[in-house]
Amino acid sequence: MKMSPSLSVLLAVVASMAGIGGINCGLLDMFNTNSDYHLAASMDAVFGALRNDIGNFLEGNIKNPVEKEVTFWCGNRNSTQLKQTFVNDTDLDSKLDLSKPLTFIIHGWLDNSTRIWVKTMAQDMMKYADTNVCGVNWSRLARHNYYQVAMNHTLIVSSYLTKFVEYLRSAGIDLEHITFVGHSMGAQISGQAGKNLNGKIGKIYGLDPAGPCFTFPRDRGLQYRLDSSDAKFVQMIVTSRFMIGVGAGDGHENFYPNGGYSPQTNCAIPVTSDAEFADQIMCSHLHSTTLFRLALNPAIVYRARRCVNWPLYLLTFCNTNEANVIGVYSKQKAGHFYLRTSAFTPFTALFPTN
Ligand SMILES: *[C@@H]1O[C@H](CO)[C@@H](O)[C@H](O)[C@H]1NC(C)=O
Ligand SMILES: *[C@@H]1O[C@H](CO)[C@@H](O)[C@H](O)[C@H]1NC(C)=O
Ligand SMILES: *[C@@H]1O[C@H](CO)[C@@H](O)[C@H](O)[C@H]1NC(C)=O
Ligand SMILES: *[C@@H]1O[C@H](CO)[C@@H](O)[C@H](O)[C@H]1NC(C)=O
Ligand SMILES: *[C@@H]1O[C@H](CO)[C@@H](O)[C@H](O)[C@H]1NC(C)=O
């Protein structure tokens, strides 16, 4: 998909109007409660211009029952073709093995579960781990304006996801064996569902969690966005901070490839982009999914160092600090970890300094 280069320019303008001020304020601070509306409107204006690529935004309230709008597609090594799975499924045993762990993959705004990144991630998960996988498809609810999706539809999805998980728990799976992997608004949905389940889910991986409209207590607050209280362990991989992603990670363990900023190294040069979107910010935003997926392969290691911030990392002050790796093989240590990635797949550093 080709995206107009104006997205980067427009978002940068919006960002500068909102004023990237106190960078040390923890979570995204650039969109204050008044400017969230402007930002959501700008996101809509920019993405609305791409209607030929994504189809029209849908309008009005959704009238279908939730089970038609939020669907679960599950499988495992014995059944790698993902099959639709229901609450009170009469054929659950052919789709899931509840003696094994289960990972959900949850897409974000304007996205859907047939996108390549979701499909390859599901296949790689089954390849590298003996686990069940369920893709969550909420594509029609995701194709509305940003504000409506952020404010209303994520709650619909997270509450139905909660219900599905509660059903699976009644069928015999332990909450500790459940993992959510959510990208962008899918990360915020993971946080909401995790909270509904009282933080008893095993793990949540938040891949560049969506920032706009999820940041400020007055608008949304902790109850609506992912943070470390939503699961026993929460890892975030931040790749477009202060743009589409949050300004800073709020998990137990937070990774910042290339400082967490757009453009990610590979996204600065279009020919090395790994994304289905050519735009630098979208490419960077999606790069979190690529790094997480590639790191499922134990041979691909993204080594990071505990550090206070990106400038100190660049000045090599953190080269002897504790090391940690992105993804499912991380040490699960609390803190902030920085690293550089290369422009070429598999994006591991060419000349690692540490
Ligand atoms: C699923 O089964 C439970 C227990 O039998 C029942 O209470 C619930 O209404 C059922 N839900 C659906 C969606 O069929
Ligand atoms: C696959 O099937 C085998 C044999 O029936 C069983 O032992 C194994 O647990 C199954 N694995 C999964 C992930 O369902
Ligand atoms: C899913 O996304 C792809 C890529 O944007 C698009 O081509 C496809 O039509 C979408 N499918 C649905 C069901 O929305
Ligand atoms: C996803 O859901 C939409 C409706 O919300 C449906 O049109 C589409 O076929 C579904 N695709 C998959 C793979 O579930
Ligand atoms: C959210 O849902 C409420 C209740 O259905 C509705 O009144 C409100 O307009 C919706 N907000 C948006 C932004 O769609």
Side-chain angles (χ1 to χ4, degrees):
M1 172 187 293
K2 196 105 179 116
M3 180 169 288
S4 125
S6 60
L7 172 60
S8 307
V9 175
L10 264 168
L11 282 182
V13 169
V14 172
S16 63
M17 287 190 320
I20 299 179
I23 285 189
N24 291 323
C25 306
L27 269 158
L28 183 68
D29 203 23
M30 65 188 253
F31 308 113
N32 65 37
T33 43
N34 299 320
S35 67
D36 262 4
Y37 289 89
H38 296 298
L39 182 77
S42 308
M43 300 277 285
D44 291 339
V46 171
F47 284 88
L50 304 167
R51 282 176 187 212
N52 288 340
D53 290 335
I54 56 171
N56 289 326
F57 284 1
L58 302 174
E59 277 164 24
N61 288 328
I62 287 288
K63 298 195 178 64
N64 286 329
V66 64
E67 63 270 20
K68 292 265 183 284
E69 297 299 344
V70 183
T71 52
F72 305 100
W73 298 79
C74 304
N76 57 40
R77 283 179 173 179
N78 289 350
S79 166
T80 55
Q81 181 87 24
L82 304 186
K83 296 182 194 147
Q84 190 169 359
T85 307
F86 306 90
V87 172
N88 297 350
D89 200 310
T90 50
D91 193 20
L92 190 63
D93 291 347
S94 79
K95 299 165 184 171
L96 291 173
D97 175 350
L98 294 180
S99 70
K100 301 273 164 70
L102 165 58
T103 299
F104 285 89
I105 304 174
I106 307 155
H107 67 77
W109 185 52
L110 302 181
D111 214 345
N112 70 62
S113 68
T114 52
R115 281 280 297 281
I116 292 166
W117 78 261
V118 178
K119 288 202 278 196
T120 44
M121 188 181 285
Q123 295 306 318
D124 281 7
M125 253 159 199
M126 294 185 273
K127 176 173 169 190
Y128 292 108
D130 190 8
T131 181
N132 303 286
V133 176
C134 295
V136 180
N137 176 29
W138 58 287
S139 76
R140 205 151 35 202
L141 287 171
R143 257 177 57 199
H144 290 249
N145 73 60
Y146 187 94
Y147 193 72
Q148 188 175 12
V149 178
M151 290 294 148
N152 283 10
H153 293 178
T154 56
L155 293 171
I156 297 172
V157 181
S158 62
S159 79
Y160 196 57
L161 172 59
T162 305
K163 194 168 171 190
F164 187 67
V165 170
E166 275 168 349
Y167 155 63
L168 294 178
R169 175 158 66 164
S170 74
I173 194 162
D174 196 341
L175 287 186
E176 265 193 67
H177 293 156
I178 289 182
T179 298
F180 294 151
V181 177
H183 175 241
S184 195
M185 277 198 201
Q188 308 302 13
I189 289 168
S190 303
Q192 293 166 9
K195 183 179 174 63
N196 293 342
L197 295 159
N198 301 316
K200 292 191 174 136
I201 286 291
K203 300 181 198 108
I204 298 178
Y205 295 92
L207 310 181
D208 212 30
C213 299
F214 288 97
T215 297
F216 277 88
R218 204 182 88 197
D219 254 353
R220 304 262 73 193
L222 268 189
Q223 109 192 70
Y224 297 111
R225 67 172 151 79
L226 176 63
D227 76 297
S228 59
S229 68
D230 296 325
K232 300 216 154 138
F233 169 72
V234 177
Q235 179 184 115
M236 291 192 186
I237 304 174
V238 182
T239 50
S240 73
R241 59 197 298 198
F242 299 110
M243 291 291 174
I244 304 175
V246 291
D250 201 13
H252 295 104
E253 194 180 50
N254 307 292
F255 288 97
Y256 302 91
N258 309 299
Y261 295 108
S262 168
Q264 290 290 302
T265 318
N266 56 301
C267 301
I269 319 163
V271 292
T272 62
S273 165
D274 57 323
E276 293 169 60
F277 289 88
D279 177 82
Q280 284 191 351
I281 298 176
M282 280 305 292
C283 170
S284 301
H285 185 49
L286 277 163
H287 196 48
S288 54
T289 67
T290 306
L291 296 177
F292 177 80
R293 176 176 66 79
L294 291 176
L296 291 166
N297 177 348
I300 299 179
V301 176
Y302 303 108
R303 188 182 305 283
R305 293 279 174 179
R306 182 186 292 282
C307 200
V308 173
N309 60 34
W310 183 231
L312 285 182
Y313 181 91
L314 290 177
L315 291 168
T316 73
F317 280 104
C318 304
N319 282 8
T320 56
N321 286 1
E322 183 185 12
N324 199 352
V325 299
I326 280 187
V328 296
Y329 310 115
S330 81
K331 287 183 175 172
Q332 304 197 0
K333 286 290 194 74
H336 299 280
F337 297 88
Y338 288 78
L339 69 158
R340 238 186 302 233
T341 61
S342 91
F344 301 96
T345 187
F347 311 111
T348 43
L350 285 177
F351 304 107
T353 54
N354 49 51

